[in-house]
Amino acid sequence: MTNSARFPSAVYATRLARAAELSAAAGLDGLLITPGPDLQYLLGSRAESFERLTCLVIPADGSGARIVVPKMELAALGGSATADLGLEVLDWVDGDDPYLLAGSVLPPKPATAVTDAMPALHLLPLASNFGTTPVLATAVLRQLRMIKDADEIEALRRAGAAIDRVHARMAEWIVAGRTEAEVAADIEAAIVAEGHTEAEFVIVGSGPNGADPHHEVSDRRIEAGDVVVVDIGGPVEPGYNSDSTRTYSVGDPGDDASTRIAVLAQAQAAAVAAVRPGVTAEAVDAAARNVLAEAGLADAFIHRTGHGIGLSVHEDPYIVAGNTLVLEPGMAFSIEPGIYFKGQWGARIEDIVVVTADGCESMNNQPHGLTSVD
């Protein structure tokens, strides 16, 4: 496929039909999808959510999806597959009741499921008009979104290669005396320059700030001997995300940090090696956790091993203890164990992987160990 803003319209026709089938199998009358990742997945639409209702209604009976949209926002559908698929557009103007309009597509008191991105501003009026309480559509849609097709996987490859090119340049920016914010500004510009449409997030955690997994940036000046965690990512067209973390040092961080981060790299590699069809998500988590536990670092690993990725940076499947989901080819997720020592330093190593027929393919290929930038 070309590097365009959406896939060919036939892709969305297949997704809509499958969504209706899965809804029927779940005992639902239909799905209600307002703007967000689910609407982008099903229609290629990047419409935004406002106080006026835009909602894709997918009847489970196979009668065909319709989209309710304010007449003043019809242009927002222009980049989607709506016209190519011949979807019926139910437009409305201020003074009309769009919730009744959405309900006209479904039977009375319908059993419906709604996207988890639907604002309460729209959910409550829809429920009131329907006379029933919708459930979340996550259980239906994740069966579609978790298994990436060939075009989606290719987009993830491009995203992974683009973020690898940014990590390859870290020695240009991580320099003693510079602030985390200054380094992050350079990284953000490089993320776009290397092919992303934007920088979705940039984490630069130096020294003690690296011990906070979700530290972003600060005015702290990087010092010689610092361990620096860099976690970065963003979308490439048509909206699929990169997410990769590497850990750097400014000169020699000391034997203790070097030894522990070497164990972390072993743990990350063990988890990647554990990925294959038929293995559970929690088994992959355990593969990383067991290596760290054997080295006495179990308490330093304070989060799950990974999260799914695609149109959303975080989506199913989640690689975490207790998740007995069996992995299947096409599932895409991060492998990112970390170790954190409050007031001292932290480290994390992250790749995106896609499950293949007999293992997995990594989207990221930069060196995994502690990398000196000095």
Side-chain angles (χ1 to χ4, degrees):
M1 63 166 283
T2 59
N3 186 17
S4 62
R6 66 172 174 87
F7 296 118
S9 295
V11 171
Y12 301 102
T14 299
R15 291 176 179 179
L16 288 170
R18 183 65 175 142
E21 292 171 5
L22 290 172
S23 298
L28 298 168
D29 292 312
L31 299 179
L32 300 163
I33 311 297
T34 47
D38 288 334
L39 187 63
Q40 187 174 354
Y41 178 83
L42 291 166
L43 204 55
S45 171
R46 304 191 188 192
E48 297 182 55
S49 187
F50 300 108
E51 73 275 13
R52 296 179 176 89
L53 178 71
T54 293
C55 184
L56 176 68
V57 185
I58 307 174
D61 62 9
S63 60
R66 283 83 129 185
I67 186 159
V68 175
V69 61
K71 188 179 289 290
M72 66 182 295
E73 292 172 14
L74 284 170
L77 299 179
S80 74
T82 301
D84 289 353
L85 298 180
L87 296 190
E88 183 179 358
V89 176
L90 305 177
D91 58 30
W92 61 279
V93 298
D94 290 346
D96 294 340
D97 188 336
Y99 307 105
L100 285 176
L101 196 58
S104 70
V105 179
L106 300 171
K109 293 193 174 181
T112 59
V114 301
T115 176
D116 58 13
M118 181 178 288
L121 174 71
H122 298 312
L123 172 62
L124 297 180
L126 281 168
S128 178
N129 274 274
F130 290 172
T132 58
T133 301
V135 298
L136 286 177
T138 309
V140 172
L141 293 177
R142 71 182 170 197
Q143 296 180 63
L144 288 169
R145 289 183 56 186
M146 269 198 307
I147 308 297
K148 271 58 179 181
D149 62 26
D151 283 338
E152 290 178 291
I153 293 169
E154 178 56 29
L156 289 171
R157 284 193 192 102
R158 288 189 287 105
I163 211 67
D164 276 0
R165 291 193 294 271
V166 179
H167 272 296
R169 298 177 59 189
M170 286 299 155
E172 298 176 30
W173 309 312
I174 301 176
V175 177
R178 301 194 76 204
T179 67
E180 293 173 351
E182 289 169 341
V183 172
D186 287 335
I187 292 173
E188 184 172 350
I191 288 173
V192 175
E194 293 294 350
H196 297 79
T197 57
E198 63 178 328
E200 182 69 22
F201 56 92
V202 175
I203 292 173
V204 180
S206 64
N209 289 341
D212 174 4
H214 279 170
H215 173 78
E216 293 182 358
V217 299
S218 74
D219 290 329
R220 181 185 184 273
R221 293 193 179 277
I222 296 169
E223 300 175 3
D226 272 354
V227 174
V228 184
V229 179
V230 178
D231 185 348
I232 53 178
V236 301
E237 294 292 14
Y240 286 75
N241 285 278
S242 65
D243 185 0
S244 181
T245 310
R246 293 294 187 264
T247 300
Y248 301 92
S249 66
V250 183
D252 184 3
D255 292 342
D256 181 64
S258 297
T259 299
R260 291 181 174 188
I261 295 171
V263 174
L264 176 64
Q266 294 169 13
Q268 201 267 348
V272 172
V275 176
R276 61 184 181 276
V279 169
T280 62
E282 67 177 0
V284 176
D285 178 86
R289 210 166 292 280
N290 290 343
V291 172
L292 293 170
E294 288 172 6
L297 296 173
D299 291 343
F301 184 15
I302 58 176
H303 54 72
R304 65 194 174 207
T305 293
H307 57 81
I309 194 167
L311 288 171
S312 300
V313 177
H314 288 188
E315 60 183 48
D316 286 303
Y318 292 96
I319 310 304
V320 63
N323 187 358
T324 59
L325 177 75
V326 175
L327 302 183
E328 299 178 42
M331 289 182 175
F333 46 84
S334 67
I335 300 289
E336 53 175 306
I339 50 176
Y340 309 94
F341 304 96
K342 187 175 181 179
Q344 301 177 55
W345 55 272
R348 186 165 60 257
I349 303 169
E350 176 185 22
D351 292 330
I352 300 301
V353 301
V354 177
V355 183
T356 62
D358 57 0
C360 71
E361 176 187 353
S362 178
M363 304 293 103
N364 302 106
N365 295 289
Q366 282 294 295
H368 292 78
L370 180 64
T371 300
S372 176
V373 291
D374 186 11

